[in-house]
Amino acid sequence: MSQPPLTVFYSPAYAVDGKMETVSKSKLVAGLIESGAAGEVRLEAPKPATRRELELIHEAEYVRHTLEDKGAFLEVGPWSRPLLDSILASTGGMRDAVKEALKNGRSGSLSSGLHHARRNSGNGFCQFNGLALAALEALKKVKTVGILDLDAHAGGGTFDILGDHPQVYLADVTVSSFDSWEPTDKNRHFYVDVEKPKAYLGHVEDALLTLERVDFLIYNAGMDTYEKAGGMKGITKEIILQREKRVVEWARARKIPHIFALAGGYKWGGLTLEQVAELHLETVKAFAA
Ligand SMILES: [Zn+2]
């Protein structure tokens, strides 16, 4: 049986020229998708996140500060209309990806800058936590949601917002000491700080085991784990490609809707922005296959 083409959320508002990878690389990934490099994939513009939605995951005062204080610093740069529009569009993309996946089984958004954002503050280039918004959106229709965070860094913001939520499972495989959190419920939480690159995929399997019972998967597909994209020496492109295939295969075997976010991926290791975009395209390809 053939499945409908993968729909991925993106609008030109996501990207702000001249800013860091978090708000610039999506444009290149979208360009690669439009050229057909990921197979049959449709791009669709999401509705921006609303104040009401943001107040479900963040303190009202923090939301107000971000939306209205023109002197504010927005994690990736000083307040500006294009930057705010980028944050709102890419946060909204996560909600629309959930709606699409609930209909057609899978989706994604070219969003980055999500998982470090806490209930009452931004952190680590993340202003609003689109993963948390996506989880709450999915819970309107399913009983349990899993967030698999394979970014190089831990999703301390996601834990801050949803760690206590009984229907949300969190699995986090980190290779960096930036940001962290401690599991408070061994049935719903998995956290590992990887020490040896050869053990990486085994840890990913352990993370998936924790998510065994979830009805919906949100995958934070950071490429900054890769040794040349800011990650851990010894985590090769081959390992990353296997990881992407495995996550998709796992979700499909369980017949659960699944979505991805781009998450981290940087030029720090010597890559060009084009090469970073090509890495992220591997996630899109795995979802589209
Ligand atoms: Zn990261």
Side-chain angles (χ1 to χ4, degrees):
M1 202 182 77
S2 71
Q3 50 182 355
L6 173 68
T7 295
V8 169
F9 289 87
Y10 168 77
S11 79
Y14 276 36
V16 185
D17 287 335
K19 292 283 177 198
M20 66 169 299
E21 296 91 317
T22 305
V23 282
S24 59
K25 63 190 176 181
S26 60
K27 186 177 177 177
L28 300 188
V29 183
L32 290 168
I33 291 173
E34 278 167 346
S35 77
E40 205 185 343
V41 180
R42 225 168 55 88
L43 287 176
E44 193 174 318
K47 289 202 180 71
T50 64
R51 180 186 286 248
R52 204 176 160 162
E53 286 178 313
L54 295 169
E55 287 179 357
L56 296 173
I57 51 171
H58 295 288
E59 295 285 352
E61 171 51 25
Y62 173 62
V63 174
R64 190 208 59 73
H65 171 70
T66 303
L67 299 182
E68 296 170 9
D69 286 350
K70 298 188 174 160
F73 187 81
L74 302 182
E75 285 301 315
V76 285
W79 197 100
S80 71
R81 192 67 234 185
L83 194 49
L84 181 63
D85 286 345
S86 162
I87 292 164
L88 295 177
S90 56
T91 306
M94 294 304 294
R95 169 247 295 123
D96 280 353
V98 170
K99 290 186 166 184
E100 166 66 18
L102 286 167
K103 259 189 276 168
N104 288 319
R106 68 206 163 122
S107 184
S109 174
L110 306 185
S111 310
S112 298
L114 310 167
H115 70 160
H116 300 307
R118 281 145 169 76
R119 192 169 281 283
N120 60 10
S121 68
N123 185 34
F125 315 135
C126 303
Q127 190 73 22
F128 290 138
N129 198 315
L131 301 168
L133 182 64
L136 296 184
E137 182 67 31
L139 287 174
K140 291 178 183 171
K141 295 278 178 324
V142 302
K143 283 207 181 77
T144 54
V145 176
I147 299 177
L148 176 65
D149 195 332
L150 302 185
D151 187 274
H153 311 97
T158 314
F159 177 77
D160 181 59
I161 298 168
L162 293 177
D164 287 338
H165 199 304
Q167 291 162 278
V168 178
Y169 288 62
L170 302 177
D172 203 328
V173 181
T174 173
V175 303
S176 160
S177 57
F178 178 76
D179 206 353
S180 65
W181 56 277
E182 271 182 44
T184 50
D185 179 343
K186 66 174 170 33
N187 293 316
R188 287 190 299 111
H189 296 157
F190 175 87
Y191 183 100
V192 65
D193 195 353
V194 178
E195 284 176 4
K196 294 197 175 75
K198 285 219 160 47
Y200 182 66
L201 290 173
H203 290 309
V204 170
E205 290 299 327
D206 293 339
L208 290 171
L209 271 179
T210 305
L211 303 181
E212 198 65 48
R213 284 187 308 223
V214 303
D215 305 316
F216 192 106
L217 179 72
I218 297 166
Y219 176 33
N220 201 37
M223 287 296 157
D224 49 359
T225 325
Y226 172 45
E227 59 183 356
K228 292 183 182 160
M232 176 182 245
K233 195 166 169 8
I235 297 191
T236 60
K237 188 160 178 195
E238 188 49 44
I239 290 176
I240 294 291
L241 296 189
Q242 278 185 47
R243 183 191 82 174
E244 300 314 86
K245 260 177 91 172
R246 176 60 186 139
V247 172
V248 171
E249 171 194 280
W250 181 90
R252 285 186 187 167
R254 273 153 196 80
K255 299 187 169 62
I256 58 170
H258 45 291
I259 67 167
F260 68 83
L262 296 191
Y266 303 95
K267 297 186 285 181
W268 302 328
L271 298 183
T272 63
L273 195 61
E274 286 72 18
Q275 288 171 315
V276 172
E278 279 165 15
L279 274 172
H280 283 295
L281 194 72
E282 295 296 338
T283 310
V284 184
K285 280 194 211 163
F287 270 65

